[in-house]
């Protein structure tokens, strides 16, 4: 929703869509600031892509400023409370998951298939943190879970679509950010910088669970997959459309093994 409202704010101008954006932020914010920051990657990518396309860049910047102003306005109450808590309250970040723990599972293959969040893979003396997670780590699910991504990649190569760049950018940007410092002991140059910032810059430590950016990846994959299905429908006869729809539906449902 945030990505869609950002796009409409740029296209239509005015305060209507920035206001809708701020309403969503007011409804879903406060529970976890890191999660909100991570999903804001989507709108930021939308603004960046639109900025590269629009001749009237002031239009894009104005939309971005309106969104930022209204979103901050509806969030001040919890931002101020969080600042007070971080200064005078318990240093929670020292008693929760570390960056090393978070990056154990954030490999590119895992985040591309929509997973990679550390808690999903955790175990203790009583077994997995999440019993349901074991189904998604089963041998037969692993190869099947990459099929939607591969079909989305095929759609990128085959289908010509004006907004293709935007959703490819969402998928790629989300993946790069989600991988972060993985592998922790031997990260890439980018991962090393990422690791240094998150471990040594005080406020940045709150962003250690950066794999919460995964919804941005899923959004890019889902839309590209939908575009591929739409193109298949347009170029097929009735029987071909039924087969294509059934095949894609089967792939999606097979990724829900519970």
């Amino acid at each position: 929703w945030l990505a869609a409202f950002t796009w409409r704010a740029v296209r239509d101008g005015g305060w209507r869509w920035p206001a809708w954006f701020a309403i969503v932020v007011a409804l879903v914010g406060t529970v976890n600031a890191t999660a909100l920051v991570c999903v804001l990657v989507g709108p930021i990518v939308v603004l960046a892509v639109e900025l590269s396309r629009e001749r009237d860049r002031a239009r894009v910047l104005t939309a971005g400023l309106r969104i930022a102003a209204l979103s901050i306005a509806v969030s001040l109450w919890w931002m101020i409370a969080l600042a007070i808590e971080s200064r005078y309250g318990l240093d929670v970040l020292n008693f929760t998951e570390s960056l090393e723990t978070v990056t154990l599972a954030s490999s590119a293959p895992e985040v591309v298939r929509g997973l990679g969040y550390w808690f999903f893979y955790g175990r203790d003396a009583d077994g997995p943190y999440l019993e349901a997670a074991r189904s998604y780590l089963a041998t037969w699910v692993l190869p099947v879970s990459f099929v939607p991504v591969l079909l989305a990649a095929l759609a990128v190569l085959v289908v010509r679509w004006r907004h293709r760049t935007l959703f490819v950018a969402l998928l790629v940007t989300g993946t790069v950010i989600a991988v972060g410092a993985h592998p922790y002991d031997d990260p890439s140059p980018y991962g090393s910088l990422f690791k240094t910032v998150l471990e040594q810059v005080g406020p940045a430590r709150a962003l250690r669970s950066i794999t919460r950016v995964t919804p941005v990846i899923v959004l890019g994959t889902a839309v590209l997959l939908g575009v591929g299905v739409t193109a298949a429908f347009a170029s097929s006869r009735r029987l071909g459309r039924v087969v294509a729809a059934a095949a894609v539906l089967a792939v999606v449902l097979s990724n829900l093994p519970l």
Side-chain angles (χ1 to χ4, degrees), residues 67-241:
I67 287 172
L70 294 180
S71 298
I72 291 173
V74 300
S75 303
L76 279 175
W77 67 276
W78 64 262
M79 293 172 69
I80 294 172
L82 186 62
I84 294 172
E85 190 278 333
S86 64
R87 183 171 182 178
Y88 300 104
L90 180 68
D91 188 0
V92 178
L93 297 180
N94 283 331
F95 301 97
T96 52
E97 69 275 10
S98 65
L99 179 62
E100 182 176 7
T101 298
V102 170
T103 57
L104 286 175
S106 63
S107 64
E110 283 299 280
V111 299
V112 163
R113 75 185 186 115
L115 302 177
Y117 187 61
W118 70 275
F119 196 81
F120 195 80
Y121 308 83
R123 299 180 63 90
D124 56 22
D126 296 323
Y129 293 161
L130 299 173
E131 283 291 337
R134 295 198 294 183
S135 300
Y136 291 89
L137 302 176
T139 303
W140 70 270
V141 175
L142 286 170
V144 173
S145 63
F146 289 102
V147 175
V149 182
L150 294 175
L151 291 176
L154 180 62
V156 172
L157 296 175
V158 175
V159 182
R160 292 185 178 183
W161 185 46
R162 180 186 177 191
H163 302 294
R164 176 176 56 180
T165 302
L166 170 59
F167 291 96
V168 171
L170 288 171
L171 198 161
V172 173
T173 303
T175 300
V176 171
I177 294 175
V179 170
H182 179 87
Y184 184 84
D185 294 327
D186 186 27
S188 64
Y190 156 76
S192 296
L193 177 62
F194 188 94
K195 178 179 175 180
T196 299
V197 172
L198 263 63
E199 289 189 330
Q200 298 185 14
V201 179
R205 290 187 302 155
L207 297 176
R208 66 205 180 287
S209 293
I210 202 68
T211 42
R212 288 172 177 160
V213 77
T214 304
V216 176
I217 302 171
V218 175
L219 174 61
T221 303
V223 173
L224 291 171
L225 181 60
V227 169
V229 172
T230 301
F233 268 48
S235 60
S236 303
R237 294 182 178 179
R238 185 172 183 177
L239 178 61
R241 295 176 181 179

Side-chain angles (χ1 to χ4, degrees), residues 10-61:
V10 173
R11 292 293 168 179
D12 298 350
W15 289 91
R16 178 184 179 187
W17 298 110
W20 276 111
F21 188 104
I23 289 172
V24 174
V25 169
L27 292 173
V28 305
T30 79
V31 175
N32 191 296
T34 302
L36 181 59
V37 170
C38 287
V39 297
L40 287 178
V41 169
I44 291 172
V45 170
V46 172
L47 289 173
V49 171
E50 290 300 308
L51 196 62
S52 68
R53 287 176 173 174
E54 282 280 346
R55 293 182 179 178
D56 185 5
R57 294 187 175 180
R59 182 185 184 89
V60 181
L61 295 175

